[in-house]
Amino acid sequence: MFYKNKKNLVLVITLFTASLFSGCDTHKDERVSLLKQKNEVESQIVSLKSQHTQMSQNIESLSSEINSQMQNLQESIKRHTKLQDSLSEYILEHKMATVAVIAAGGGAASVLDKNLDDDTKSVLAVIGIVGAIYCFSNYEECADVTSKILYYGTQIDAEEKAVGKLKTDITSNKTLLEKNKQSFAYLCKSIDEKLMQNNSLQEKHDSLLCKFCF
């Protein structure tokens, strides 16, 4: 009789416990849904952080490239200036032949007109007609001067093109860098929002856990 009563007692306790646990887990489906949302948000965070890393590298690379281009620009400007100075020095050493070359016109004259400063042009203007007939008796010197002037003109034009291209590239890269920085800031904000959302989902999930479950 005692054995039977004991058996009944165990059965009652088992049924009560099962009922307790069953009543405790009324939020199970909601927790499952929250975990699913949380997993999706965490996946989005991983993707955003990957983009964050890539964009950070892009910004660093662009900044480095701009700095390099700025340095190249300064060097190209210096070379351009040095070539023009060298041209001026050279033609002042051959003033008579230079005046004759200018009088003859053509490519060499165009180079001089474009690249000589006003002071040098004034010096040559003083010589005037005297220099214009210089090449009749100094043909070889005039030929050498013409060749040298054209050489300087080619080098100066090349540097001008390099300067122009570098300025264009720098402007383009600065614009791109600014866009990347704006996107980067937006990305950082999105990551922070997703982290907050993830924490909120975790807190809500934890608040729905059964307090009597072991």
Side-chain angles (χ1 to χ4, degrees):
M1 183 72 176
F2 172 75
Y3 174 76
K4 185 176 181 181
N5 288 338
K6 184 177 180 180
K7 186 176 181 181
N8 288 338
L9 179 62
V10 171
L11 179 61
V12 169
I13 292 173
T14 301
L15 290 172
F16 174 77
T17 303
S19 174
L20 180 64
F21 276 92
S22 175
C24 166
D25 212 13
T26 56
H27 299 295
K28 179 179 179 181
D29 291 342
E30 190 174 353
R31 292 202 311 275
V32 170
S33 176
L34 287 169
L35 284 175
K36 183 178 180 181
Q37 295 177 54
K38 188 173 183 295
N39 288 336
E40 291 176 353
V41 170
E42 287 177 345
S43 177
Q44 292 170 358
I45 290 173
V46 170
S47 177
L48 287 170
K49 285 187 174 180
S50 176
Q51 295 177 48
H52 179 278
T53 300
Q54 183 61 54
M55 192 163 292
S56 177
Q57 292 173 349
N58 290 344
I59 289 174
E60 184 178 352
S61 177
L62 269 173
S63 297
S64 177
E65 185 175 358
I66 289 171
N67 289 334
S68 177
Q69 289 173 333
M70 290 291 290
Q71 183 177 350
N72 290 339
L73 175 61
Q74 294 304 315
E75 291 174 354
S76 190
I77 290 173
K78 286 180 181 178
R79 287 194 298 269
H80 180 270
T81 301
K82 186 176 180 179
L83 283 166
Q84 287 186 319
D85 291 343
S86 296
L87 173 61
S88 294
E89 290 174 7
Y90 177 79
I91 63 99
L92 288 176
E93 293 173 0
H94 302 273
K95 293 187 286 293
M96 301 295 285
T98 299
V99 170
V101 168
I102 293 174
S110 298
V111 170
L112 295 174
D113 183 61
K114 178 181 177 182
N115 293 290
L116 295 184
D117 56 69
D118 291 338
D119 289 340
T120 304
K121 288 180 179 178
S122 296
V123 171
L124 296 176
V126 171
I127 302 172
I129 191 65
V130 177
I133 60 175
Y134 182 79
C135 287
F136 286 116
S137 56
N138 297 276
Y139 175 78
E140 289 185 2
E141 181 187 354
C142 289
D144 290 341
V145 169
T146 300
S147 177
K148 196 70 172 180
I149 290 171
L150 291 174
Y151 166 79
Y152 275 119
T154 299
Q155 298 302 309
I156 291 170
D157 285 346
E159 289 301 337
E160 285 180 352
K161 289 179 181 178
V163 167
K165 186 177 186 306
L166 283 167
K167 286 182 177 180
T168 299
D169 291 344
I170 289 170
T171 299
S172 177
N173 280 335
K174 282 184 175 180
T175 300
L176 183 58
L177 178 61
E178 185 59 32
K179 288 181 179 178
N180 278 342
K181 285 182 176 180
Q182 291 175 1
S183 297
F184 185 76
Y186 177 78
L187 194 57
C188 290
K189 182 180 178 181
S190 297
I191 290 174
D192 288 341
E193 290 174 349
K194 289 297 178 182
L195 288 171
M196 291 176 61
Q197 183 182 1
N198 188 51
N199 290 336
S200 176
L201 288 169
Q202 182 67 56
E203 290 174 0
K204 190 171 183 180
H205 170 272
D206 293 347
S207 71
L208 295 176
L209 288 172
C210 178
K211 299 299 186 290
F212 304 100
C213 298
F214 301 97

